[in-house]
Amino acid sequence: MRSAPGIKQKMDINRKTPADIDKQHYDMVVIGSGFGSSFFLSEALKHTKGRVLIVEWGDYHPWAWQIENQRNTAIPTAQTYANRHDKPWNTTIALGGGMNCWFSQTPRMHPSDFATQSRYGIGHDWPISYDDLEPFYCQAEDIMSIAGDADMHRALPRSKPFPQPPHKGSSIDVIMKQAMPDHHFIMPTGRARVATGNRSACCANATCNLCPVNAKFSAENGFSDLYSHPQVDVCLKTEVRSLESSGDVIRSARLTSDGKEFMVHGDLFVLGANAIQSPAILLRSGIEHGDTGRGLHEQVGLDVEVYLDGLGNFDGSTITTGLNYYFYDGDFRRDRSACLVYFENRWPHGLRLEPGRWNQTLPLMLVSEDVPNRESRITVDPSSGQAQIDYAGESEYAERGIQHAFDNLGELLAPLPVESIEARRKRLTESHVQGTLRMGQDGDGSVVDSAMIHHTRRNLVVVGTSTYPSCSPANPSLTAAALSLRAANLLFS
């Protein structure tokens, strides 16, 4: 297989076996290695001189391995939990977690998303505001070299410019931006518009979960120095089963690998497995403060296809070029959900068959927030300890938001020569597992505080999307990264 130009094929890792770390003591034990864990550690290492251990259930699968095998991990998601509902919940168990499989769409959450209860009487407020997180959004965007549209400040205030220029929009985006300058923007993305020293420029081939040119930000091309840092040991193919406490202080983590049990001790523990496995670890540990395991949620999506009359598409420079906020925010959120409209630069429903009209189509994704439900939850099997998913289904609130957006697409698309609009399929999943260990004030059902520290185990930091109190229509990964940078900054500054 040919390599992407200038891309190192494999990173160095300070590997340790479970036997190497058994009964060893670390200043910090990091559980999982996805966005939450890795961004937290990237900031923490600026402030601490102590020894750090990363424990990852999966293995390290280099980019070249992923391309050759056409998968992101060797562990099938369905083997990591029991699902009592038809809805799939996608995770990636491997070094780097979701940084392997993500499509690298990086919109920020909207300021209103942090206060849906106080503004609209819906869901839970976050214990922090957009302004609290904004500097860390900028820091995360710098780390990932985000390519973004400077005009996005019209919807999402920002204190710094994007590190890279935006991707080229399609002919449709040009029209939409001119007609709706306060609502239509080029999608911000962790897919490089301009090649960097360790990433190629996006090739717009629409296979982002397995990027063939290594253009998107990943653990391998973004955090290689982290996993090879002299203070950091990395133990792969090892599952954390439970945490052992002495009073209100966590002292140890119990591990399993190849059917054998091990123990590691620590002063500070960082829990960032994912929104399914993190609560399962706490439940197996008997740490059940607040709504531990409850409130599992993600966005609700609908695929739509628009036929155009005389206007071509698919001339942008990345997989999703446009992002439209027309249905996003307003007092209507008391009754129906916010909705983002994604303008696609690919043809998931095929090309048009009429001669000369093959590209006169516009695929859209309508993505809505949902209201977390306490009855949607993670439990553990009492005999095996395996995580179990009980999902209560999406809310009528989300369904009303999607239906309103679809019914009024003609109004949104008025600047375009629209021939017809068709709903193609309900999206089974957005692959954004959220909730289950939400942030808040102690006593309101939350599990962690505004600094992401557990309410009762004060040497336990919980990171990642499990901490989300509510559901934004926006992709969650950038927010997870920013939250971790903020949490580490608060803890160590």
Side-chain angles (χ1 to χ4, degrees), residues 180-210:
M180 305 180 72
D182 293 333
H183 293 96
H184 197 91
F185 311 103
I186 302 303
M187 169 68 82
T189 172
R191 302 181 291 269
R193 174 71 194 274
V194 180
T196 70
N198 54 3
R199 289 158 60 190
S200 300
C202 177
C203 65
N205 76 340
T207 57
C208 298
N209 66 318
L210 291 161

Side-chain angles (χ1 to χ4, degrees), residues 27-94:
D27 294 81
M28 187 189 315
V29 177
V30 181
I31 301 164
S33 59
F35 280 96
S37 297
S38 293
F39 275 84
F40 180 92
L41 186 54
S42 72
E43 181 65 23
L45 285 173
K46 300 176 184 177
H47 307 279
T48 180
K49 302 298 182 183
R51 297 177 65 214
V52 178
L53 173 67
I54 299 173
V55 185
E56 169 56 54
W57 189 358
D59 202 354
Y60 164 47
H61 302 295
W63 167 70
W65 180 95
Q66 295 182 43
I67 298 302
E68 181 179 354
N69 290 275
Q70 287 296 287
R71 51 183 173 151
N72 302 116
T73 175
I75 300 178
T77 298
Q79 292 182 7
T80 66
Y81 57 76
N83 193 354
R84 296 179 174 179
H85 192 273
D86 293 337
K87 177 179 172 60
W89 297 89
N90 295 329
T91 64
T92 298
I93 308 296

Side-chain angles (χ1 to χ4, degrees), residues 106 145-152 161-170 173 177 184-194 201-202 316-318 320-323:
T106 57
S145 296
I146 300 301
D149 184 348
D151 292 336
M152 285 201 80
F162 283 104
Q164 289 208 3
H167 281 274
K168 177 182 178 292
S170 67
D173 291 306
K177 279 181 67 67
H184 197 91
F185 311 103
I186 302 303
M187 169 68 82
T189 172
R191 302 181 291 269
R193 174 71 194 274
V194 180
C202 177
S317 69
T318 191
T320 303
T321 53
L323 195 62

Side-chain angles (χ1 to χ4, degrees), residues 261-397:
E261 293 191 356
F262 304 90
M263 178 83 77
V264 65
H265 310 293
D267 295 328
L268 177 70
F269 291 81
V270 180
L271 179 58
N274 59 45
I276 297 170
Q277 300 304 329
S278 286
I281 290 169
L282 293 185
L283 291 170
R284 289 194 296 263
S285 307
I287 303 173
E288 301 186 34
H289 184 80
D291 284 343
T292 297
R294 293 184 178 271
L296 176 70
H297 67 273
E298 70 161 357
Q299 297 88 349
V300 176
L302 176 70
D303 282 329
V304 173
E305 187 173 29
V306 180
Y307 273 22
L308 302 170
D309 186 5
L311 177 62
N313 191 16
F314 313 131
D315 54 346
S317 69
T318 191
I319 186 173
T320 303
T321 53
L323 195 62
N324 195 288
Y325 285 77
Y326 187 70
F327 299 117
Y328 200 108
D329 192 45
D331 201 54
F332 67 81
R333 290 176 79 173
R334 296 181 181 277
D335 177 66
R336 67 176 186 272
S337 62
C339 188
L340 261 177
V341 182
Y342 292 67
F343 283 58
E344 296 292 275
N345 192 44
R346 55 176 166 166
W347 41 92
H349 316 296
L351 299 174
R352 292 187 69 167
L353 300 180
E354 301 97 315
R357 304 190 70 186
W358 66 273
N359 65 341
Q360 293 179 23
T361 182
L362 169 61
L364 300 174
M365 292 192 307
L366 309 187
V367 180
S368 165
E369 65 181 323
D370 201 358
V371 180
N373 185 338
R374 288 187 75 252
E375 299 310 310
S376 293
R377 62 186 298 196
I378 305 298
T379 60
V380 294
D381 183 274
S383 57
S384 67
Q386 184 185 39
Q388 299 177 139
I389 297 176
D390 290 310
Y391 179 59
E394 63 196 44
S395 66
E396 293 183 2
Y397 177 82

